[in-house]
Amino acid sequence: MAEIHDQFDTILILDFGSQYSHLITRRCRELNVYAELMPCTSKLADLKFKPKGIILSGSPYSVYDDDAPHADPGIYTLGVPILGIRYGLQELCCNYKGQVAKCDHR
């Protein structure tokens, strides 16, 4: 039997510890988009497929925390769209040499 990744375009969702990662995955699937949820520590070389896009989920961390998790840098060389949500956006910004600053108001 063929792998599901061979049958459908797949979105890779990297979970940085957000309580919404499973919800994001479910919503993608409800929109008829196959999504695979994996831990943020997953190595690109271990994937059995090339994703059509990547979603970096949120986290309670800041990219400036000493123990903050980071994605495999290889995801940025795949040439696919990447969506960062909350911490995922900080991760994108940090990777592209941007700065994440604290706001003085909400």
Side-chain angles (χ1 to χ4, degrees), residues 16-17 59-63 65 67-69 87 90:
F16 285 89
S59 168
Y61 293 99
S62 164
V63 289
D65 291 344
D67 59 345
Y87 176 84
Q90 289 185 30

Side-chain angles (χ1 to χ4, degrees), residues 73 75-77 80 82 90-99:
I75 67 167
Y76 303 108
T77 63
V80 299
I82 302 174
Q90 289 185 30
E91 176 75 6
L92 277 170
C93 184
C94 186
N95 179 74
Y96 289 108
K97 309 298 183 227
Q99 291 183 336

